[in-house]
Amino acid sequence: MKSITLTVNGQPVSGSVEARTHLADFLRGQMGLTGTHLGCEQGVCGACTILIDGQPGRSCIALAAACDGSDIRTVEGFDDDPTMARLRKAFSERHGLQCGFCTPGMLVTARDIVNRLDTPDEARIRHALSGNICRCTGYQGIVEAISDVVAETAAEKAPCGAPIAPLGRAAPDVPPPSFEVAERKDASAGSGAASATISKPVMRVDDDGWTVLTLVMKAEQPRTKLWEVMTDIPTVARCMPGAEVTAVEGDRIQGRLTIRFGPISAGFNGTLDQQVDANARRVVLSGEGADAKSGTNVQGQLTYALRTEAEERTAVDIEVRFKLTGPLAQFGRSGLVRDFTSRLSSDFAGNLGRLLAGEDIGEAQQRQLSVLALLWGVLRDRLFRR
Amino acid sequence: MKPVDFDYSAAETVDEALTQLSGADVKVMSGGQSLGPMLNLRLVRPSALVGLAATAALRRIEDASGAVTVGAAVRHAEFEDGKVPDPAGGMMQYVARGIAHRAVRTRGTIGGSLAHADPAADWVTTLTTLDAVLTLRGAAGSRDVPMTGFMQGAFTTALRDGEIIESIRIPKRSESVRWGYYKICRKVGEFAEAIGALVVDPGQRYCRVVMGATDGAPVVLDDFSRRLAAEGAAALSGLADTVRATLPDANPVSLRQHEVALRRAIQQVYPS
């Protein structure tokens, strides 16, 4: 538990909260200030908007512990606020509410619009109000109420600093003069000058849900030498970012692939079966794994075949196939997965190239992705792109 | 809709933050505007959070001769409200005004947005266009990483375990700088479907056109930028081909959105 001290609606308040308690729960549950409404609890709907240190903020995604020392104002705390008095009257007169659920957040945002923006027109008001969702009014009454108060206060308002320019950006009349771009030193050229080149991966999704990625790596090495390296699974695993071989028994390999995507991480534990076709110089690694946290299974197959291109040059055809099963299967099609898998494959090929060139690849930096993150990617699209 | 149980402590100094970060499953939280929803949805289940929003050293704003340097915990609203010196013809202030909603901008921070590295967010594209350099700080010391090398893919950055973004250095452009920025969103305040951004500075012979909100990191269109600086609006005729070549896997809708976003951004600089 964390001890916090806040000023709430002008009164000093102390309390004890769990670190995970968000500010709205603290205000509603411990302070009894139920005027702050919780709609989505994901920072989307705006119902929980209150003033934190004088600025509107979402109380459902602000941790109470992170607001220690802050000055909080909720909808209950505006009795003496002249702008809010006008807004209350205007909302009533213009039918700016029906069920009232969004109203506490609407009022706090409306007050910010009136006080902060310099005589906003209807378009500007609608723009600034776009983070507060109302399912009853169609916004018309709310916008009219705010417009009324903007008009009432315009005359008496002291200029509020630099006027805020209108939205949008007009083109100038005259384009810039023509010029030649200065040469730049490219800082991005990393170490490990490749003794291997890698084609851009091509990706497709089969009808039966397998995502298939193909790429070609070319190494300046004779085929026999490359074959030696590529049939040594612990060595190959070292080139795979985030992969770890825990045991090898015959053709069966136990391992773990740790994947991270932003702040989320997951570990797939599983087994791989190795099939080596020495005549065709082809290795197929297939297996499956599960991420305990999300309860998701992934089946995957990595195939690589070596072809002699010239005496000292070998092409490696690489194919990565994977399939997510369960409710998250649809994410295999997501562009985010494609981008991630592409990078993972390129990293693998790049590390292999460096290894073949006799360079130390050290501990391959984990390329990490989790199905949870894919879930986030899709949820984010659904939540924020409605 | 409630997060898992975790510990929280606000770091007063960067060193304190780095020490706390060495624990297992400890995450950084700055403004919490992306992490907050992910915590509530239990997509992120940390053992502890280190709060950086009030860390004084990360709230610094420095106006030097060649660049403006801002701490990672400077909020979007501070750019919007003109509290950060302008390095490039008002571009950052304009972009800040279009990030999500005011109630998000008052808490969300520039460093948090960069570290989160959502491809559809505004700062990753804008700061790539402005050629910003990040100072990352870890237990082993600090290092500078240019924006072009920082974001490696969706939600993936050059940040190593235990490292945080300390500050962002944005080079100052000359008086002759022009810029354009256009994003396509289904609704105001949403994440973008496509972003077109460019900075053209004849005084510094700098021109960079960037395609943002792709499936991965923002893409700098180097060849196209050179052509645009030399040929002006005439270069637009090659835009569609450039977009198609850059995003070979994109579907037709996405290709069109990226082309339109870029065209509209470019037309803010080169009227046609």
Side-chain angles (χ1 to χ4, degrees):
Chain A
M1 300 293 272
K2 301 270 162 194
S3 299
I4 55 167
T5 307
L6 303 165
T7 306
V8 178
N9 298 333
Q11 301 296 314
V13 168
S14 297
S16 182
V17 293
E18 282 189 284
R20 62 172 165 168
T21 305
H22 59 60
L23 186 56
D25 269 350
F26 172 75
L27 293 168
R28 291 173 54 85
Q30 294 192 36
M31 302 283 306
L33 294 170
T34 53
T36 298
H37 289 173
L38 283 168
C40 69
E41 272 191 295
Q42 309 160 13
V44 176
C45 76
C48 69
T49 307
I50 60 172
L51 291 188
I52 305 173
D53 293 325
Q55 303 255 39
R58 308 275 206 231
S59 58
C60 74
I61 53 174
L63 295 177
C67 295
D68 189 19
S70 296
D71 180 14
I72 306 295
R73 226 163 8 144
T74 68
V75 73
E76 291 95 338
F78 289 97
D79 285 357
D80 303 326
D81 187 85
T83 306
M84 202 59 109
R86 284 180 155 140
L87 282 165
R88 280 195 297 266
K89 184 163 167 283
F91 266 60
S92 165
E93 286 171 0
R94 291 288 195 168
H95 303 285
L97 69 155
Q98 185 173 313
C99 82
F101 197 87
C102 71
T103 311
M106 283 289 178
L107 284 170
V108 172
T109 301
R111 181 179 174 277
D112 178 62
I113 291 171
V114 172
N115 288 353
R116 184 171 58 88
L117 303 182
D118 197 16
T119 57
D121 60 9
E122 188 191 324
R124 189 86 178 90
I125 290 170
R126 286 184 180 273
H127 190 277
L129 203 61
S130 61
N132 290 70
I133 295 173
C134 171
R135 297 287 84 150
C136 305
T137 64
Y139 304 98
Q140 192 58 36
I142 299 173
V143 173
E144 285 169 1
I146 297 172
S147 297
D148 282 359
V149 179
V150 165
E152 280 171 36
T153 53
E156 61 205 62
K157 202 153 85 175
C160 52
I164 292 179
L167 295 163
R169 204 177 125 70
D173 296 333
V174 187
S178 158
F179 65 96
E180 192 184 332
V181 173
E183 282 305 311
R184 303 168 49 82
K185 293 170 289 187
D186 191 3
S188 62
S191 65
S195 69
T197 56
I198 302 137
S199 69
K200 191 173 161 50
V202 176
M203 184 151 167
R204 66 171 201 275
V205 180
D206 277 359
D207 290 341
D208 54 358
W210 284 88
T211 301
V212 184
L213 204 114
T214 51
L215 66 162
V216 182
M217 183 183 83
K218 291 184 182 175
E220 303 298 324
Q221 298 280 345
R223 196 169 75 155
T224 43
K225 185 180 170 201
L226 200 57
W227 180 247
E228 233 171 77
V229 174
M230 295 203 67
T231 45
D232 178 18
I233 296 305
T235 300
V236 172
R238 271 180 63 209
C239 299
M240 189 68 176
E244 193 188 344
V245 172
T246 49
V248 182
E249 294 165 34
D251 290 338
R252 174 152 285 207
I253 301 137
Q254 299 261 5
R256 179 179 168 81
L257 182 64
T258 307
I259 275 177
R260 187 190 294 163
F261 206 61
I264 306 167
S265 64
F268 284 92
N269 286 302
T271 53
L272 275 180
D273 286 314
Q274 182 187 206
Q275 289 169 276
V276 179
D277 182 343
N279 290 329
R281 295 279 195 230
R282 208 162 79 107
V283 177
V284 181
L285 292 168
S286 52
E288 56 190 301
D291 172 35
K293 269 188 185 170
S294 65
T296 302
N297 288 294
V298 60
Q299 291 170 269
Q301 193 177 70
L302 170 68
T303 306
Y304 44 88
L306 276 54
R307 281 187 277 123
T308 299
E309 282 230 321
E311 200 172 321
E312 287 287 312
R313 191 188 321 138
T314 308
V316 186
D317 298 313
I318 300 173
E319 186 191 81
V320 181
R321 295 167 63 87
F322 68 91
K323 184 180 185 175
L324 297 170
T325 44
L328 306 182
Q330 59 182 309
F331 305 139
R333 289 173 185 273
S334 133
L336 295 176
V337 186
R338 184 170 57 210
D339 179 71
F340 175 81
T341 319
S342 276
R343 279 181 288 123
L344 193 67
S345 310
S346 299
D347 281 0
F348 169 71
N351 283 333
L352 193 62
R354 278 190 279 279
L355 191 82
L356 291 169
E359 287 177 39
D360 183 16
I361 57 170
E363 230 177 283
Q365 180 92 6
Q366 290 170 349
R367 262 292 179 225
Q368 300 181 349
L369 163 103
S370 92
V371 287
L372 290 173
L374 302 182
L375 178 61
W376 167 245
V378 172
L379 271 176
R380 189 205 66 190
D381 286 356
R382 290 193 185 149
L383 295 172
F384 297 93
R385 285 183 175 163
R386 268 196 288 245
Chain B
M1 300 308 295
K2 307 294 178 193
V4 295
D5 198 16
F6 54 74
D7 198 9
Y8 173 87
S9 58
E12 300 211 349
T13 65
V14 173
D15 286 333
E16 199 183 305
L18 294 176
T19 308
Q20 288 166 5
L21 262 181
S22 56
D25 262 340
V26 180
K27 308 288 180 199
V28 168
M29 184 160 85
S30 186
Q33 300 301 290
S34 293
L35 192 56
M38 296 172 88
L39 287 168
N40 282 4
L41 292 163
R42 296 202 176 190
L43 288 168
V44 185
R45 302 166 182 222
S47 63
L49 291 178
V50 181
L52 299 184
T55 310
L58 302 178
R59 303 256 321 123
R60 277 207 293 258
I61 299 172
E62 282 167 32
D63 187 4
S65 62
V68 172
T69 303
V70 296
V74 172
R75 301 185 191 102
H76 312 321
E78 293 173 79
F79 290 91
E80 179 186 18
D81 297 344
K83 291 181 179 153
V84 178
D86 170 36
M91 183 181 193
M92 294 188 80
Q93 185 174 18
Y94 176 88
V95 169
R97 263 174 73 191
I99 297 172
H101 309 287
R102 179 72 183 177
V104 170
R105 299 195 290 271
T106 56
R107 301 192 63 75
T109 67
I110 188 167
S113 175
L114 294 174
H116 186 58
D118 190 319
D122 292 88
W123 285 137
V124 287
T125 296
T126 305
L127 291 168
T128 301
T129 317
L130 288 167
D131 203 22
V133 176
L134 313 189
T135 300
L136 312 183
R137 174 96 176 268
S142 52
R143 60 188 178 118
D144 284 355
V145 177
M147 253 327 278
T148 43
F150 176 72
M151 187 167 162
Q152 300 170 342
F155 306 105
T156 311
T157 69
L159 279 169
R160 296 175 186 145
D161 281 343
E163 224 174 19
I164 63 165
I165 301 175
E166 188 167 48
S167 61
I168 300 110
R169 191 167 70 246
I170 307 121
K172 281 190 185 169
R173 296 296 157 194
S174 76
E175 288 285 305
S176 62
V177 69
R178 301 271 195 87
W179 55 270
Y181 192 82
Y182 194 91
K183 62 173 174 175
I184 294 178
C185 300
R186 292 278 288 276
K187 174 179 166 290
V188 173
E190 288 185 338
F191 283 98
E193 311 268 349
I195 298 176
L198 75 156
V199 170
V200 183
D201 187 349
Q204 294 180 352
R205 290 171 59 207
Y206 176 88
C207 177
R208 181 174 282 184
V209 182
V210 177
M211 181 159 58
T214 63
D215 288 331
V219 184
V220 179
L221 303 175
D222 270 325
D223 291 340
F224 183 82
S225 303
R226 266 191 290 276
R227 279 210 304 281
L228 186 67
E231 300 167 19
L236 279 169
S237 62
L239 183 64
D241 287 341
T242 301
V243 171
R244 212 172 305 121
T246 311
L247 300 176
D249 298 325
N251 64 49
V253 173
S254 178
L255 280 178
R256 183 81 181 131
Q257 285 174 326
H258 282 290
E259 187 201 328
V260 168
L262 282 165
R263 184 179 300 275
R264 290 181 185 171
I266 292 165
Q267 284 170 341
Q268 291 168 5
V269 178
Y270 294 92
S272 60

